[in-house]
Each structure stands twice: as C-alpha cells, then as structure tokens.
Amino acid sequence: GDSDYVVNCTALGNVLEYCSSRFDRSLFGLDLAELQTPDVFGLATAISRAASTLGEALDCFIKYMPVVHSPVSDLEIVKGRDVCELRFAGTSTVQGFDGCQIMYEAGLLIAKLLRELCGSGFQPLYVSLARIGQDGNIAEIERRFGCPCRKSADINAIAFPARMLNQPIRSASRQLYTLLDGYLDRVHTATRASLTERLAECIRSSLASGKCSPEGGARKLG
C-alpha cells in the first residue's frame, strides 16, 4: 500500500543521509545517480523513450510515475512562453523528510532522462533545489547538472526552453508507445483508489510542504 511505500522511501532517504555522513560525501545523492540510469523509473522511462515528442514523453512520465515507480510522485510541467519547468516534489519534500540526498539523486536522474530524450547536447537552463545541504558545494552541483543551480524556498525543478516540447524523440516507436500506453492505462485504472482515498493521500502529502489547499487538491486530482 501507499503507506508502506512511504515508510520504505523514508528509510531509503535515511540510508542516503547516513551514507553521506558515513563516507563524508556531501553530494552522495549525486554520486549515486551518476552510477544509475533513468531505467530505475521502470516503464515510465520506457514509454517516454517511445513517445514522439518531448512534450508527449513528459506527459506520459508524469502520468505513469505514480503507477509504476512512486505512488507519492508529485510531478508537473509549468509552461511559460520561453521556459518550461519540470517540477518534482519527491518523497523528501512531499513527506516532509528533512534530507537533501534523495533530492539530489532524483534531480540528476531526471536530468539524465531529459538528456537521453533530447540528445547528448541537451543542457538545462537551470536547476532549482528546495534543499541543499549546509556544506553543499554549489559549484560542484552546477558542474554535475551542467547548468546554474538556484536554491529555492519550495521548488525542485529542471528548466529547459519551451520550444523543446516539440522536439522529436529519436527512439520514438509508435507501436511500442501504443502497447505500453494501453497496458499502463489499464494498470492505472485497476489500481485507482476511490476519490476519498486519493483526497486523503493528497492532504497527507501536501501538509508537510505547507501547501495544502482546496485549489491544490483539485488540481492534483484533476
């Protein structure tokens, strides 16, 4: 259930914080993400690779991450005229976990996925992180992400030019996309909780970040 998942993610966050302290690596989450690939997101990554454009890929990634990877995922695209932000709350922010390593890991893995979808020349415009360790090396974070890093009060995001939403995906496969989309949509429908249960989970996840409101709940629940 979702509650078991939250406990497991909190335990994982604690493990990353412990490793950071034990190995004296203030950016341990980034170290870990550099050894991983976006495949850790499972079929959410697979369908993104099969999508036709970056915009379609991100729509699928956002829709299916809670289905195949993390029931408490809180992802959204904020579209501006020139700049888009892919915002990710992550377990640490959503559940009020006080560490930063799990955010480092999630952010760099998402950046790696964007680079894979858009090509090796892709560089984010900037990355925003709501939590940066006290001894976090901003210059090193910027080197790892390949872009400026902004410390934000409450937003984790990776920004890129809005025009890239229409960029074709080289690995696009309509046949595979249709197959995965049909399967994941059926899984999503089968596991969909009642409105009351979904609202309760929404409230739990929003309280920790201090952004619990009827409007926010309506947006998240569609």
Side-chain angles (χ1 to χ4, degrees), residues 2-217:
D2 286 0
S3 60
D4 292 333
Y5 183 88
V6 170
V7 170
N8 291 336
C9 281
T10 301
L12 174 60
N14 285 327
V15 168
L16 296 187
E17 294 301 320
Y18 171 79
C19 290
S20 174
S21 175
R22 181 67 176 82
F23 301 132
D24 193 25
R25 298 290 297 179
S26 63
L27 302 178
F28 180 80
L30 295 181
D31 296 338
L32 180 60
E34 287 194 334
L35 299 174
Q36 298 173 303
T37 72
D39 290 291
V40 300
F41 298 134
L43 289 179
T45 292
I47 194 171
S48 298
R49 289 172 177 153
S52 298
T53 65
L54 179 62
E56 184 178 65
L58 293 182
D59 285 342
C60 288
F61 187 71
I62 290 169
K63 179 180 180 180
Y64 293 127
M65 272 287 283
V67 177
V68 301
H69 183 72
S70 165
V72 295
S73 289
D74 188 8
L75 294 150
E76 66 173 328
I77 297 180
V78 177
K79 300 177 182 179
R81 187 181 66 179
D82 300 316
V83 177
C84 284
E85 286 187 348
L86 176 56
R87 296 184 177 180
F88 55 101
T91 303
S92 63
T93 300
V94 173
Q95 300 301 327
F97 181 76
D98 197 32
C100 58
Q101 300 304 323
I102 201 166
M103 274 300 91
Y104 290 161
E105 181 196 23
L108 188 56
L109 282 172
I110 291 173
K112 290 174 79 170
L113 176 60
L114 289 172
R115 187 169 291 113
E116 182 180 314
L117 295 175
C118 298
S120 58
F122 170 80
Q123 283 190 311
L125 296 175
Y126 59 84
V127 59
S128 292
L129 294 172
R131 286 185 172 85
I132 296 178
Q134 292 182 351
D135 55 350
N137 186 331
I138 297 295
E140 180 62 13
I141 293 174
E142 292 181 338
R143 186 187 72 80
R144 303 279 190 106
F145 278 94
C147 64
C149 176
R150 303 177 178 179
K151 183 173 182 182
S152 169
D154 56 6
I155 294 173
N156 299 293
I158 296 175
F160 55 91
R163 66 178 183 276
M164 296 194 72
L165 289 175
N166 296 319
Q167 179 167 320
I169 304 298
R170 290 185 179 181
S171 57
S173 169
R174 212 61 203 167
Q175 183 176 8
L176 179 58
Y177 176 87
T178 301
L179 178 67
L180 290 174
D181 187 50
Y183 168 73
L184 290 173
D185 191 60
R186 288 194 297 274
V187 173
H188 179 257
T189 300
T191 58
R192 193 176 182 89
S194 70
L195 179 60
T196 302
E197 292 170 332
R198 292 167 58 214
L199 180 58
E201 178 57 36
C202 178
I203 292 172
R204 282 194 296 270
S205 65
S206 299
L207 282 174
S209 63
K211 291 189 172 182
C212 185
S213 69
E215 295 78 14

